Amino acid sequence: MEGQYYGWGTITDGWRKGPWTPQEDQLLIEHVKLHGEGRWNSVSWLTGLKRSGKSSRLRWVNYLRPDLKRGKITAKEEAIILELHARWGNRWSMIARSLPGRTDNEIKNYWRTHFKKSTKNVEKARARYLRLQQEQKQQLLLCRSNIMKEETSSQTQMAIMPKEMEEMTFLCNNMPLMLHEGGFVGESTTSSEDRTSEEEAYYDTWGRLWNLDDMGDPTLTF
DNA sequence: AAAGCAGGCAACCGCGATTAA
DNA sequence: GTTAATCGCGGTTGCCTGCTT
């Protein structure tokens, strides 16, 4: 197996370091299938992998997990990252919890690559986000007026698309914070330490809601 | 075509928190 | 209550790749 390694892979103190090979990935996947996640330090002696528990966990969490989302960060995800970073700072794992399928490492890398060096990029992203908000706002207003029309004119309103109606009513009634005066929720000066558990739950919820399937995200360019 | 450079990202490191013995 | 093992997180490093000169 050793001869198949490539790149800067080396062995230090009996542990292999550097890029993972497909064979190593396969061993790790099999291991998790059999034993589940956790007990990472047992991976080595159960599979024969010359990888530390730490390295194995990292590989699984950041790359092999089946629920990971592949592909580029969307405008919506970007908006969430910006918003939550403004609020929580570098608490990447927490931010990642609001973006299912994305890892803390991925988000951290994205932030550093796109926003750390230049506030201009933050401004651009912010502008994109505001455009998106405007579009959504218009859609919601339209939907709200449709709901009102339905409410006044028809007794059978809930029979017509009841599910959609419920969803849109819920959105109309619960959206205001995200649309807060066209501004960034994250612009608040409130530090993460000052946040209440209710706020925590609120952001958790909205983070998840915003992760509903994207609707034609514009390509992100800087 | 080749060299230099910068961006992107996978992986490592150190450290604090948590859990088990 | 103490210690060791394990886990999880944030920061950092360094390879790869694509673009520019």
Side-chain angles (χ1 to χ4, degrees):
Chain A
M1 184 104 138
E2 200 67 22
Q4 294 170 16
Y5 293 148
Y6 58 90
W8 54 292
T10 55
I11 292 192
T12 311
D13 298 333
W15 298 120
R16 226 187 79 71
K17 293 181 183 179
W20 281 65
T21 64
Q23 293 93 331
E24 287 180 306
D25 282 345
Q26 202 47 50
L27 280 171
L28 185 55
I29 290 167
E30 296 296 330
H31 172 83
V32 175
K33 267 186 200 162
L34 281 171
H35 304 98
E37 293 184 44
R39 311 299 305 168
W40 295 109
N41 282 316
S42 67
V43 172
S44 163
W45 55 269
L46 285 173
T47 64
L49 257 180
K50 289 192 185 313
R51 293 282 183 172
S52 68
K54 209 170 182 174
S55 177
S56 300
R57 175 189 160 272
L58 204 68
R59 182 64 178 173
W60 175 259
V61 167
N62 285 337
Y63 196 80
L64 298 176
R65 258 169 48 201
D67 59 325
L68 287 180
K69 212 189 237 184
R70 308 281 179 182
K72 295 199 168 196
I73 300 277
T74 64
K76 199 182 289 176
E77 287 173 319
E78 182 190 71
I80 293 169
I81 292 169
L82 278 172
E83 185 186 315
L84 297 185
H85 184 270
R87 174 159 281 264
W88 294 336
N90 296 355
R91 295 170 74 176
W92 306 115
S93 60
M94 210 154 137
I95 295 172
R97 273 177 226 135
S98 294
L99 293 166
R102 300 294 187 186
T103 69
D104 52 354
N105 206 34
E106 194 176 6
I107 293 168
K108 178 171 61 181
N109 281 332
Y110 188 80
W111 173 264
R112 287 171 183 272
T113 304
H114 293 95
F115 304 122
K116 179 117 192 236
K117 280 176 270 178
S118 165
T119 52
K120 273 185 190 171
N121 287 343
V122 175
E123 292 307 318
K124 280 184 191 174
R126 195 169 288 200
R128 258 201 307 274
Y129 174 61
L130 293 179
R131 270 203 306 278
L132 204 65
Q133 274 191 333
Q134 279 305 318
E135 285 168 23
Q136 288 189 336
K137 201 173 193 172
Q138 279 175 355
Q139 281 178 4
L140 285 168
L141 287 174
L142 189 67
C143 115
R144 193 175 258 168
S145 72
N146 285 342
I147 288 171
M148 285 172 73
K149 274 185 208 163
E150 289 291 338
E151 278 174 349
T152 52
S153 68
S154 168
Q155 300 157 332
T156 56
Q157 42 145 327
M158 292 309 280
I160 310 164
M161 304 191 301
K163 195 165 181 291
E164 288 81 356
M165 188 74 83
E166 270 178 46
E167 275 175 16
M168 292 314 290
T169 308
F170 175 81
L171 282 171
C172 290
N173 294 334
N174 293 278
M175 202 63 170
L177 194 55
M178 287 301 282
L179 297 172
H180 182 61
E181 315 219 334
F184 245 23
V185 178
E187 277 174 336
S188 149
T189 52
T190 317
S191 75
S192 56
E193 282 71 28
D194 299 332
R195 205 171 44 249
T196 65
S197 57
E198 286 83 354
E199 282 178 298
E200 198 95 62
Y202 185 91
Y203 281 94
D204 196 42
T205 304
W206 271 110
R208 286 172 203 291
L209 271 175
W210 265 68
N211 204 51
L212 295 171
D213 287 341
D214 297 312
M215 40 183 193
D217 274 301
T219 307
L220 303 179
T221 49
F222 290 98

